[in-house]
Amino acid sequence: MLKNSNWKSIGTVLGETFIDCFYFSLKNYKAKKGDIVTTDSKVPSSEGKIIPVTVWGKISTIESSNAFFPTEAAQELTNEDIDIRDTILPTTRDELICKVVILGYTKDEDKSSKLLPLIYPVRPAATVKYPSSEDVEALLISDLNSSHPIYIGSLLAREAVKIRIDADNLVSRHVSIFGMSGSGKTVMVRRIMHEMLCKNYPMLVLDIHGDYLGFIQKQKELYPDNKIKLFYPNLSVNSEDKEIIYTLIDKLGKPLTDPQKDFLNSLLEKVKYEGGSLLKYVKLLNQRSREYASEGSTSFKNIRPASMYVVARSLGQVAKKLENMEQTNFRHRKKMSKLKFVELADPATEPEKIISKGQLSILYLKGYETLPASAIVSILLENLFKHRQEVNEEIPPFLTIIEEAHNFIPSRSENKDDLPSVETIRKVITEGRKFGTGIMIISQRPSRLDETIASQCNSQIIFRMVNQRDQKATRDRSETLDVDDSKQLPNLANGQGIISGQVVNFSLPVQIKFDEKLINEDIGNENFIDTVENWDDSEAVKERQKFAQDFSDISDMDNRSAN
Amino acid sequence: MSTEINIKDKIKRNSSMFVNFVKSAVTASPKVQNNFLDVSAKVAETVLKIVKDADLVVDLNYKGKEFWSENRCKTACFVDGGVDKTSIISSAPLSIRAGSYVVKPDAISKREYFEESMVFLGDLYDPKNELYDFIDDDFEEDQMLNKKKDGARIIFEAATIVKHILLNKKFDYCFLHGPIEGTVMPFSVPGFPTFTKFAIENMFPFAVNKKTDVAARHFINVYLEALNYIKKGKFPIYGIVETSNSAPYVKNLLYNYKSQGKISDKDYNNFIKIIKKYKITDSHLLEIILSSGQALKPIEIKKQIQGFTVTTGSSWEDKMESFPKVFIGYIKTTDNNSPIRIESLNNSKNLIKDYEYILGTSRLLPNYGFPVGLNVVDKFAKIPNWMSKASRKYYATHLLRQAVKNKDQNTISLAVKILSKKARSWRNRPIGGITK
Ligand SMILES: Nc1ncnc2c1ncn2[C@@H]1O[C@H](COP(=O)(O)OP(=O)(O)OP(=O)(O)O)[C@@H](O)[C@H]1O
Ligand SMILES: [Mg+2]
């Protein structure tokens, strides 16, 4: 396949070799961890011939050691304050031993460059070569064999090697993106979204922090042919959502006794609602329950009016909470006055307003507590999924992007498993392949995610991760993450991630391309120092300060005379 | 009397002498066991008296920082050999090498380098091996094989030093890990093979005219020639031995005293017997006598001794006398180690400076107490683990394949080479017999 005559030799294969890996001693500074290297070898063909091949591998560890430096010498050097360079101790004998994970081989005479699994170990003492960037890239792309490759960044060890991932697997086989705060998850997601927008693939983003509002700001400039819609949630319910409503009231309101719960259930049965805002419904329930209580209604068996009042008060509290959340969300929206927010369409009746070809829908969830947010998402996804399941599909396949996923799909051990979104997402993700409802899960805390859902993700993109439990959870739930690569996790810099699974050929450390244009300019970075520097007290504060000293003086004097 | 108690104390406290004795005490008679402490203490006291009388004890000077700022300009070369102890039935694949570590701390460029001075990779049962002439002997014992390995290693080490002299290297010091002159007696056995012409040519190019003479290629002759060459070297060359299993220094010292009439023949003979009986060695005694930083000036000793049964009457008997005498001294480099033995073929002009250099370089290896450069080259010369494993595996499969193919042991041939290499790295060279 590729011509390898001009590839530089960078080392020599050592001792024992295996089918899946070999070690080599590296010349100083000639390659890095994560680099792709090759060595010429021979393998027996199925016809019994011996054919020359190029074996490709990835440097998974590099160890440097000065085997010749006796550690005990350090003692004398320190005690006597001796400079090692004055002594006969060796100072320049660092030896670099690299472990190479074998990726496969290509036949030298073949035109195609699909990596085949190695069936015969490489030769000890063979030369290890450094293939040119173009050749590595060519190999990766032809091996990926993707009908829709999308560009996401470059090989961490080698900027010149562009990395592409397979969009088909991305949208159907689910992806998880993990990493600690600030490690580059959102930047990565925006990169993918950018590419998918260019392909007109419908997407729905659950945005808690407003990380994706940059798409709206740049719509005219960058995506003139796409629709980008910004929704704010409305907790819109209909009679079918009774269970969710019950859970919401139960969890948001006061703790209820069994008879009180019975009353609430019967109330939900009795008070019919033809659909619409949950808040309105709760208010209605509150009003009705008061009425029943004051009438001393007997239509509820064994329930005393006092219990009814309790439920009424609880409903009042729920209504207040819902109102508050709506208010908070509203205030945040108001801050971004340049952006046009619209109320989330009813997914049951107008799904096409949310999912349509070339459209990106952003659901801005800021201000909502976990439970209501979960309910909103559950109802939304449940309905959209239903439309995909139906024979006359009303909406095209789409990709759902779930930021801060631990809020929606917490692990059982978090004791939040009655969050309605868990069940829904579990269903959507399991059947996603069939119905084109791909999901992208983003979280800082993979160890806190629902195990079933997380392990349904066939591809992973992992960024810096320091927490041991999260590292373990990540490893446990991925079949494809390279063990040696995963050791690198705590040391990755911003935007450096390890991609593994079906969207790539093999586990690859990648530097993600940073699309600065897609940052939400209204939020920007949290730069509190600058904020303080430009701080001007509000009018009210200024007014108060006018008299503050006077009042303070008075109370001082008062205190003095008291003595 | 106080010295005696002091010495007894020392013996009990931390000397290897005591440990050694306790180990062998099981076999010693109760009487020997009972008397051990008293006898050994008395022996030590007496030897101490004699070395003082002979003015052999010197106090060496060492101040860490000063020492190195004075000596950073010195070029030192450290030499060691290594043998891979691979053993496979019906073949004797072997890797032997001798390496040098050369360092000049203050050099602007290339302050240090390693060199594989001599390398052999091959099979000693292969008739075409390029190290030893082949002698077909179906009943060869392991012992002979081990002798061949040892012989090869000793010759490689000597050849390495010879090469440095030949190439006119400007060393201030050269150290060999091991005796500067080994005992040749074991190689005088009948049937010990001669080195090949090829081997001699590569190791001792100056001996070209001798290569036609078969006897001249025998270990003993080759080694003698090498030692004579080394003796003429322009820089000080020392062999450093970590522990002594015998008591050459003490015995020779007393022999000299006997010769001078300072000790009676009877006392001398008794003393030799006692040393044997109580298994007292130079290391044991000197560990007690010397304190850290002290040395014993060298005395001249004959290494090759006539009258052994193996050599008696053989053609080698006379050769023994031709071997150069060796100067042997001791330095106690640290508190916790036995003194190290310093051997050289010449009496040094700057003995104290030389010994101080050895002391200084040993202080960087406090747990072993010998020059750190030798530890460095030792690691280098040891056949690396991966190498042994790999060679073992490949020789095994290769030889098997060959044997099956030819159905004839004798046709087994490995592509082996003795390389007198300069810059090529060990690792970059194909393993003998693998690449075709
Ligand atoms: N690929 C990249 N190249 C350069 N800088 C990056 C890259 N990725 C992230 N960064 C930097 O790191 C910052 C934080 O990245 P990002 O917002 O993606 O983090 P995050 O993982 O989503 O964090 P959180 O979990 O807090 O949301 C970015 O604003 C940017 O400055
Ligand atoms: Mg983020």
Side-chain angles (χ1 to χ4, degrees):
Chain A
M1 47 146 276
L2 311 150
K3 280 195 213 74
N4 61 16
S5 52
N6 57 344
W7 297 352
K8 281 204 198 79
S9 68
I10 56 163
T12 306
V13 177
L14 297 180
E16 268 179 301
T17 63
F18 308 90
I19 300 287
D20 57 343
C21 73
F22 64 84
Y23 291 82
F24 77 98
S25 82
L26 171 69
K27 290 184 196 163
N28 276 342
Y29 304 113
K30 294 294 184 207
K32 286 188 277 192
K33 181 181 159 79
D35 247 328
I36 306 287
V37 296
T38 68
T39 179
D40 293 343
S41 199
K42 292 190 171 93
V43 300
S45 73
S46 42
E47 302 95 50
K49 271 190 286 184
I50 295 168
I51 47 172
V53 299
T54 302
V55 174
W56 297 76
K58 184 182 61 166
I59 298 181
S60 68
T61 60
I62 303 184
E63 273 172 27
S64 166
S65 64
N66 186 341
F68 298 106
F69 178 81
T71 34
E72 53 179 291
Q75 202 181 312
E76 181 76 2
L77 293 179
T78 320
N79 291 349
E80 297 283 324
D81 187 26
I82 301 168
D83 183 344
I84 185 171
R85 283 166 304 186
D86 287 345
T87 74
I88 57 166
L89 289 167
T91 58
T92 59
R93 286 295 294 194
D94 295 348
E95 190 168 21
L96 296 166
I97 306 282
C98 302
K99 180 183 176 189
V100 174
V101 172
I102 291 174
L103 304 169
Y105 73 88
T106 51
K107 290 183 198 164
D108 287 359
E109 75 259 18
D110 258 20
K111 285 279 160 284
S112 90
S113 49
K114 184 111 186 96
L115 280 172
L116 302 164
L118 194 64
I119 42 173
Y120 197 83
V122 302
R123 297 175 306 163
T127 302
V128 176
K129 289 181 185 166
Y130 194 64
S132 70
S133 302
E134 303 84 68
D135 289 342
V136 174
E137 207 175 301
L139 174 87
L140 289 176
I141 189 74
S142 82
D143 184 56
L144 186 61
N145 194 18
S146 162
S147 16
H148 301 103
I150 58 178
Y151 163 56
I152 53 148
S154 49
L155 192 63
L156 186 51
R158 230 166 139 176
E159 211 191 325
V161 177
K162 302 270 173 289
I163 300 294
R164 290 172 183 82
I165 61 176
D166 178 38
D168 294 294
N169 271 309
L170 176 88
V171 296
S172 64
R173 308 297 294 268
H174 317 299
V175 181
S176 50
I177 300 180
F178 299 146
M180 55 194 286
S181 181
S183 56
K185 300 183 294 297
T186 303
V187 168
M188 164 91 230
V189 176
R190 286 198 291 250
R191 173 94 279 277
I192 293 176
M193 284 169 61
H194 170 84
E195 293 288 337
M196 296 312 288
L197 264 177
C198 298
K199 294 194 188 314
N200 283 322
Y201 200 82
M203 283 176 285
L204 166 66
V205 191
L206 309 181
D207 189 0
I208 295 187
H209 302 300
D211 287 329
Y212 299 92
L213 302 181
F215 281 97
I216 310 261
Q217 291 156 341
K218 295 292 154 59
Q219 143 123 64
K220 284 209 182 75
E221 182 188 334
L222 296 174
Y223 313 104
D225 301 328
N226 293 93
K227 271 176 287 175
I228 301 184
K229 280 202 203 160
L230 187 49
F231 294 109
Y232 64 88
N234 91 355
L235 254 175
S236 132
V237 291
N238 55 44
S239 44
E240 284 167 43
D241 301 323
K242 201 152 276 160
E243 225 171 284
I244 291 179
I245 298 168
Y246 178 83
T247 311
L248 268 174
I249 296 170
D250 185 35
K251 291 273 149 49
L252 288 181
K254 294 183 199 298
L256 300 178
T257 63
D258 283 346
Q260 290 160 359
K261 280 181 182 169
D262 287 346
F263 174 64
L264 177 59
N265 257 323
S266 324
L267 197 63
L268 287 173
E269 287 297 325
K270 250 203 168 81
V271 183
K272 288 282 177 285
Y273 190 65
E274 59 274 18
S277 154
L278 174 68
L279 178 57
K280 275 193 197 141
Y281 185 41
V282 173
K283 281 182 171 164
L284 180 66
L285 289 172
N286 170 263
Q287 189 192 333
R288 284 291 152 77
S289 53
R290 277 182 193 287
E291 287 165 12
Y292 289 130
S294 61
E295 289 162 10
S297 169
T298 49
S299 40
F300 302 94
K301 253 185 254 149
N302 303 330
I303 295 175
R304 291 177 298 117
S307 295
M308 296 183 193
Y309 273 121
V310 174
V311 172
R313 268 201 297 281
S314 181
L315 284 164
Q317 189 176 322
V318 173
K320 185 130 189 64
K321 275 194 181 169
L322 289 174
E323 244 171 346
N324 277 343
M325 288 180 227
E326 275 182 14
Q327 287 290 315
T328 314
N329 187 271
F330 174 72
R331 276 202 304 279
H332 282 292
R333 292 195 318 258
K334 244 184 77 180
K335 276 195 226 155
M336 295 172 280
S337 50
K338 272 176 264 164
L339 301 181
K340 186 171 163 252
F341 286 85
V342 294
E343 187 175 350
L344 184 63
D346 181 356
T349 55
E350 297 179 307
E352 71 282 357
K353 288 203 170 157
I354 305 169
I355 301 298
S356 77
K357 184 175 173 186
Q359 176 173 331
L360 164 64
S361 294
I362 302 170
L363 179 58
Y364 183 58
L365 283 166
K366 189 149 188 146
Y368 279 88
E369 279 177 27
T370 307
L371 184 62
S374 168
I376 292 164
V377 167
S378 174
I379 295 167
L380 172 60
L381 286 183
E382 197 77 43
N383 281 298
L384 293 177
F385 184 67
K386 215 176 280 163
H387 287 296
R388 282 296 305 155
Q389 266 180 314
E390 279 161 7
V391 195
N392 61 333
E393 302 166 337
E394 288 190 19
I395 51 169
F398 65 99
L399 176 66
T400 308
I401 295 160
I402 307 178
E403 269 275 3
E404 309 283 350
H406 43 269
N407 290 327
F408 302 102
I409 46 169
S411 115
R412 255 173 272 267
S413 58
E414 301 278 304
N415 291 324
K416 287 186 200 154
D417 59 353
D418 39 10
L419 281 188
S421 51
V422 176
E423 196 59 35
T424 310
I425 294 175
R426 211 178 274 166
K427 183 165 68 196
V428 174
I429 207 163
T430 336
E431 316 229 343
R433 260 185 94 186
K434 245 187 290 172
F435 299 111
T437 53
I439 285 191
M440 192 181 282
I441 288 171
I442 298 127
S443 176
Q444 306 175 353
R445 304 300 316 271
S447 64
R448 290 172 50 191
L449 293 185
D450 183 86
E451 294 78 2
T452 333
I453 296 175
S455 54
Q456 285 286 336
C457 295
N458 280 307
S459 299
Q460 280 84 26
I461 306 169
I462 323 286
F463 291 88
R464 180 172 61 243
M465 199 180 275
V466 174
N467 184 296
Q468 296 287 333
R469 277 181 54 201
D470 290 329
Q471 288 183 30
K472 183 171 185 307
T474 306
R475 273 193 302 268
D476 289 353
R477 284 158 206 181
S478 168
E479 292 159 8
T480 44
L481 181 66
D482 184 288
V483 185
D484 287 314
D485 281 348
S486 75
K487 287 187 191 137
Q488 210 179 347
L489 290 177
N491 308 319
L492 293 170
N494 281 3
Q496 303 182 339
I498 293 161
I499 304 197
S500 67
Q502 296 185 339
V503 295
V504 274
N505 321 54
F506 33 77
S507 185
L508 278 172
V510 176
Q511 173 73 54
I512 305 301
K513 180 180 185 296
F514 186 21
D515 304 294
E516 279 167 70
K517 282 191 165 176
L518 296 179
I519 289 183
N520 174 6
E521 285 162 353
D522 280 354
I523 294 183
N525 280 343
E526 295 152 350
N527 198 334
F528 295 127
I529 305 222
D530 280 349
T531 312
V532 168
E533 199 160 283
N534 303 324
W535 186 261
D536 199 8
D537 289 329
S538 67
E539 285 309 308
V541 173
K542 280 179 186 158
E543 285 294 313
R544 281 202 299 278
Q545 279 172 350
K546 240 192 234 169
F547 309 108
Q549 192 56 50
D550 299 318
F551 287 115
S552 156
D553 288 349
I554 292 169
S555 87
D556 278 357
M557 286 167 193
D558 174 42
N559 281 338
R560 232 179 305 151
S561 60
N563 281 336
Chain B
M1 215 55 229
S2 70
T3 30
E4 194 197 325
I5 287 163
N6 194 357
I7 283 172
K8 270 191 197 172
D9 233 36
K10 253 180 149 177
I11 294 172
K12 275 202 263 182
R13 251 199 343 258
N14 58 3
S15 86
S16 56
M17 183 185 204
F18 192 64
V19 174
N20 189 54
F21 179 78
V22 170
K23 267 193 218 154
S24 58
V26 198
T27 52
S29 72
K31 198 176 161 221
V32 171
Q33 291 185 36
N34 270 335
N35 295 339
F36 169 76
L37 254 187
D38 290 338
V39 171
S40 50
K42 192 68 205 166
V43 168
E45 200 189 327
T46 313
V47 171
L48 179 60
K49 225 179 196 169
I50 295 172
V51 294
K52 278 190 174 156
D53 181 71
D55 190 25
L56 290 172
V57 183
V58 279
D59 286 301
L60 301 175
N61 193 18
Y62 168 76
K63 283 200 194 85
K65 213 174 162 62
E66 268 170 49
F67 170 81
W68 285 113
S69 54
E70 240 169 67
N71 286 291
R72 58 201 294 269
C73 55
K74 301 270 165 63
T75 307
C77 169
F78 300 87
V79 176
D80 195 8
V83 180
D84 169 25
K85 299 279 190 307
T86 301
S87 155
I88 297 171
I89 302 162
S90 89
S91 80
L94 188 59
S95 15
I96 306 173
R97 70 171 179 172
S100 309
Y101 170 54
V102 179
V103 56
K104 184 177 193 302
D106 72 346
I108 311 275
S109 70
K110 217 182 174 193
R111 84 183 279 280
E112 69 202 48
Y113 63 91
F114 288 87
E115 185 186 275
E116 266 117 11
S117 310
M118 296 286 151
V119 179
F120 169 81
L121 286 154
D123 181 352
L124 293 181
Y125 286 147
D126 178 357
K128 289 188 195 135
N129 90 76
E130 282 159 319
L131 185 59
Y132 283 112
D133 289 325
F134 189 68
I135 297 173
D136 203 358
D137 181 0
D138 286 344
F139 302 102
E140 190 180 86
E141 301 157 34
D142 278 357
Q143 218 185 356
M144 184 59 111
L145 183 62
N146 284 334
K147 275 185 192 175
K148 285 194 214 168
K149 288 184 193 174
D150 281 348
R153 183 184 46 78
I154 292 170
I155 283 295
F156 273 22
E157 289 171 352
T160 299
I161 300 176
V162 164
K163 195 175 127 193
H164 290 317
I165 298 170
L166 196 67
L167 295 176
N168 212 359
K169 294 278 176 64
K170 300 279 180 287
F171 297 153
D172 290 294
Y173 291 109
C174 179
F175 298 101
L176 172 67
H177 197 187
I180 195 72
E181 181 181 326
T183 316
V184 300
M185 188 263 289
F187 306 102
S188 65
V189 291
F192 192 78
T194 46
F195 288 111
T196 63
K197 284 183 201 171
F198 180 82
I200 299 293
E201 230 166 42
N202 275 278
M203 291 189 288
F204 306 105
F206 55 85
V208 174
N209 49 340
K210 302 250 176 87
K211 73 183 176 190
T212 41
D213 174 9
V214 178
R217 300 203 307 263
H218 186 277
F219 175 89
I220 294 182
N221 284 324
V222 175
Y223 193 45
L224 175 58
E225 188 154 2
L227 289 175
N228 282 329
Y229 198 88
I230 291 171
K231 195 171 156 69
K232 287 186 285 186
K234 295 231 166 57
F235 41 82
I237 301 164
Y238 289 102
I240 310 283
V241 184
E242 286 149 62
T243 49
S244 304
N245 299 321
S246 56
Y249 191 92
V250 174
K251 281 185 193 165
N252 274 276
L253 177 63
L254 270 84
Y255 182 82
N256 291 345
Y257 263 56
K258 185 194 77 164
S259 308
Q260 292 164 27
K262 291 183 182 174
I263 307 176
S264 75
D265 280 17
K266 190 175 146 243
D267 285 346
Y268 171 76
N269 290 334
N270 265 338
F271 185 83
I272 298 297
K273 256 189 249 157
I274 296 268
I275 279 184
K276 224 176 180 176
K277 185 169 165 190
Y278 288 91
K279 297 190 167 72
I280 293 169
T281 67
D282 277 357
S283 294
H284 298 154
L285 274 181
L286 302 181
E287 179 174 356
I288 299 160
I289 291 170
L290 298 177
S291 36
S292 174
Q294 278 188 331
L296 284 185
K297 287 185 219 163
I299 57 176
E300 207 174 359
I301 288 170
K302 235 201 259 177
K303 272 283 182 96
Q304 322 299 347
I305 298 164
Q306 286 173 307
F308 279 108
T309 35
V310 263
T311 46
T312 311
S314 87
S315 53
W316 302 118
E317 180 82 55
D318 296 341
K319 271 281 173 232
M320 298 297 142
E321 275 302 304
S322 338
F323 272 85
K325 282 189 177 179
V326 181
F327 292 87
I328 291 185
Y330 280 92
I331 305 176
K332 186 156 166 63
T333 52
T334 66
D335 282 328
N336 309 322
N337 292 291
S338 310
I340 53 174
R341 194 163 87 213
I342 319 296
E343 297 193 1
S344 62
L345 295 175
N346 298 298
N347 211 352
S348 170
K349 285 171 225 119
N350 297 305
L351 184 82
I352 303 299
K353 274 269 159 285
D354 292 0
Y355 274 25
E356 281 176 353
Y357 188 81
I358 295 170
L359 174 66
T361 54
S362 301
R363 283 288 165 90
L364 287 178
L365 201 65
N367 295 342
Y368 296 95
F370 66 93
V372 69
L374 289 176
N375 180 261
V376 171
V377 72
D378 174 275
K379 286 181 196 158
F380 174 71
K382 274 216 185 84
I383 308 298
N385 266 345
W386 65 264
M387 177 67 213
S388 316
K389 255 201 217 159
S391 58
R392 199 172 303 144
K393 214 172 186 173
Y394 281 100
Y395 280 120
T397 48
H398 177 84
L399 289 172
L400 218 67
R401 223 182 296 131
Q402 290 288 324
V404 169
K405 209 161 87 187
N406 303 320
K407 297 203 173 73
D408 178 5
Q409 273 300 115
N410 289 329
T411 57
I412 295 172
S413 162
L414 298 177
V416 289
K417 290 273 178 287
I418 296 171
L419 291 181
S420 178
K421 297 194 308 169
K422 293 214 176 75
R424 281 178 74 195
S425 153
W426 172 262
R427 286 197 171 160
N428 289 337
R429 107 177 206 86
I431 293 162
I434 313 305
T435 30
K436 279 265 162 77

